[in-house]
């Protein structure tokens, strides 16, 4: 019995590419990087590919489809042997092992990303950007009671002071979301601070006036926090954070780590983060913040206020210029290495 069709002994690059499911351009690239030896050329000076060339091309295509880098395929082919065969099996096995580890890492990252997207869809795009530690604090609030600016502020605070700092700061927004009168007064004071732009001198009487208004508002806010028992919830936050982020076995954590709420490995310090976050505060507004902080310290240091005195000392420490202004759309201002401390919302 005779074959009605006799296959060619060699084929041109276009036919080779079509057979293996590749392109002539890809095959030329294999030649350039030494992955596929240059074949002999015919009388027309065009490449001709034989059976062994096609086998190698099929190997390359299958391995590339599996995610193996072309350089790794080339190394596997050239280590110990000039052709594909049993001798290259161990090299390919090692590459496959590394590839499997890489794919497992990519799969874990994809799961993390999918979880993040699901949280954003469930919680809302803005709320879902915050960590669970913060969003758990905000659950139960009336729908729409949190403003976009509130969530933006918490997002910045979480980046600078860790989720613990943002969860503590959330106490303020919980009160504002549930007390319309306080929210109205907060907006009024915010507007007054915004009006202290670059056209206002630092020693303008309005600076001290707005500082006094800010201090009076904060005092009223903190009184509501204490009356509602939210300050006790803050203590529970610190305890929960300690459970999630225990101290090292030898207890050797420096003050900066503690003040920043035990930052994640590789994250910036508070000082570094604040130094990279722009704040468009005029000199008059900065002076207003300083005066408001001074009034808070004076109140806390007055006789009969020992209950909050320790909280203020902890919040300020050795940094008399450290503060977290709760104004406008901003969550923090240039400050020292100060982080969340127990009672921080009662001493700002």
């Amino acid at each position: 019995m005779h074959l009605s069709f006799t296959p060619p002994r060699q084929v041109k690059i276009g036919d080779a590419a079509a057979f293996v499911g590749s392109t002539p351009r890809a095959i030329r690239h294999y030649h350039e990087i030494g992955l596929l030896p240059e074949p002999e050329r015919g009388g027309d000076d065009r490449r001709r590919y034989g059976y062994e060339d096609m086998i190698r091309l099929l190997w390359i295509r299958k391995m590339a489809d599996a995610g193996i880098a072309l350089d790794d395929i080339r190394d596997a082919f050239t280590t110990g042997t000039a052709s594909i065969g049993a001798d290259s099996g161990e090299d390919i096995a090692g590459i496959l092992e590394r590839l499997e580890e890489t794919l497992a890492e990519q799969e874990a990252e994809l799961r993390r990303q999918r979880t993040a997207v699901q949280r954003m869809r469930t919680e809302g795009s803005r709320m879902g950007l915050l960590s669970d530690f913060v969003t758990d604090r905000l659950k139960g609030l009336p729908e729409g009671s949190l403003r976009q600016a509130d969530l933006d502020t918490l997002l910045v605070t979480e980046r600078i002071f860790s989720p613990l700092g943002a969860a503590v700061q959330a106490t303020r927004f919980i009160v504002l979301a549930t007390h319309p009168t306080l929210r109205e007064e907060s907006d009024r004071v915010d507007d007054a601070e915004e009006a202290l732009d670059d056209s206002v001198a630092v020693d303008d009487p309005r600076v001290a006036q707005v500082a006094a208004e800010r201090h009076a508002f904060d005092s009223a806010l903190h009184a509501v926090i204490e009356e509602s028992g939210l300050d006790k919830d803050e203590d529970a936050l610190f305890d929960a954070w300690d459970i999630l982020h225990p101290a090292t076995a030898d207890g050797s954590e420096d003050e900066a780590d503690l003040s920043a709420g035990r930052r994640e490995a590789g994250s910036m310090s508070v000082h570094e983060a604040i130094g990279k976050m722009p704040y468009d505060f005029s000199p008059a507004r900065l002076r207003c913040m300083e005066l408001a902080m001074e009034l808070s310290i004076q109140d806390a240091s007055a006789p009969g206020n020992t209950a909050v005195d320790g909280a203020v000392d902890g919040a300020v420490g050795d940094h008399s210029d450290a503060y977290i202004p709760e104004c406008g759309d901003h969550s923090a201002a240039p400050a020292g290495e100060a982080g969340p401390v127990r009672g921080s919302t009662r001493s700002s």
Side-chain angles (χ1 to χ4, degrees):
M1 179 177 178
H2 297 283
L3 292 173
S4 60
F5 172 75
T6 302
R9 300 182 67 180
Q10 293 180 321
V11 297
K12 296 179 181 179
I13 190 170
D15 294 329
F19 179 80
V20 301
S22 184
T23 64
R25 181 178 180 181
I27 294 177
R28 293 189 188 98
H29 181 63
Y30 299 159
H31 293 316
E32 291 173 359
I33 66 175
L35 181 56
L36 180 69
E38 280 277 358
E40 62 180 76
R41 293 176 180 266
D44 56 0
D45 199 34
R46 293 186 176 182
R47 298 180 179 89
R48 295 292 191 275
Y49 296 86
Y51 180 79
E52 293 296 332
D53 295 320
M54 300 300 287
I55 293 296
R56 188 159 186 142
L57 280 171
L58 286 171
W59 269 88
I60 294 171
R61 176 62 192 274
K62 292 290 185 179
M63 295 174 73
D65 285 348
I68 303 177
L70 295 181
D71 289 343
D72 288 336
I73 299 174
R74 179 190 59 205
D75 294 343
F77 287 166
T78 58
T79 301
T81 178
S83 62
I84 302 173
D87 292 340
S88 63
E90 292 185 1
D91 298 309
I92 295 176
I95 292 172
L96 291 175
E97 182 179 358
R98 295 196 300 273
L99 176 62
E100 186 175 7
E101 294 174 354
T102 300
L103 290 175
E105 294 174 356
Q106 293 175 350
E107 185 179 16
E109 177 63 15
L110 285 174
R111 285 198 299 268
R112 185 197 65 78
Q113 292 175 348
R114 185 178 181 185
T115 299
V117 170
Q118 289 174 338
R119 284 192 71 252
M120 292 175 66
R121 293 185 62 188
T122 301
E123 302 288 351
S125 58
R126 294 269 179 179
M127 181 81 79
L129 292 174
L130 299 168
S131 67
D132 289 335
F133 197 80
V134 182
T135 55
D136 287 346
R137 178 86 166 129
L138 300 171
K139 288 181 178 178
L141 288 176
E143 185 176 356
S145 59
L146 285 174
R147 298 177 178 178
Q148 176 178 317
D150 300 339
L151 298 175
D152 291 344
T153 295
L154 290 172
L155 186 65
V156 174
T157 301
E158 182 176 305
R159 176 58 178 162
I160 296 177
F161 291 106
S162 81
L164 174 60
V168 170
Q169 188 186 41
T171 299
R172 180 185 192 88
F173 298 121
I174 292 173
V175 172
L176 293 179
T178 53
H179 292 73
T181 303
L182 279 176
R183 172 68 86 174
E184 183 179 347
E185 179 63 11
S186 176
D187 291 341
R188 189 192 67 78
V189 176
D190 288 345
D191 291 341
E193 288 178 331
E194 290 282 354
L196 299 178
D197 55 23
D198 289 319
S199 66
V200 179
V202 174
D203 57 355
D204 189 296
R206 287 175 291 175
V207 174
Q209 176 62 34
V210 176
E213 293 174 359
R214 166 59 65 187
H215 171 62
F217 168 76
D218 284 342
S219 297
L221 177 70
H222 297 153
V224 173
I225 290 174
E226 292 183 343
E227 291 171 2
S228 62
L230 287 171
D231 54 330
K232 302 298 188 299
D233 294 341
E234 289 181 7
D235 292 335
L237 285 176
F238 282 89
D239 294 335
W241 186 260
D242 288 340
I243 294 173
L244 293 173
H245 302 81
T248 56
D250 58 0
S252 58
E253 283 190 296
D254 59 34
E255 182 180 352
D257 287 334
L258 288 170
S259 67
R262 297 191 186 111
R263 297 183 298 271
E264 296 179 356
S267 64
M268 293 180 289
S269 69
V270 173
H271 183 75
E272 291 171 331
I274 291 177
K276 298 180 185 302
M277 182 65 187
Y279 295 95
D280 190 18
F281 293 158
S282 68
R285 189 169 179 183
L286 287 172
R287 180 54 182 158
C288 175
M289 295 174 184
E290 292 173 355
L291 291 174
M293 174 59 76
E294 290 173 5
L295 290 173
S296 295
I297 296 174
Q298 290 173 10
D299 277 1
S301 301
N305 286 341
T306 55
V308 295
D309 188 43
V312 172
D313 289 341
V316 178
D318 294 330
H319 308 280
S320 59
D321 61 338
Y323 44 81
I324 310 175
E326 306 283 0
C327 51
D329 297 336
H330 305 280
S331 64
E337 189 77 20
V341 295
R342 294 183 187 271
S344 59
T345 58
R346 301 189 299 277
S347 58
S348 58

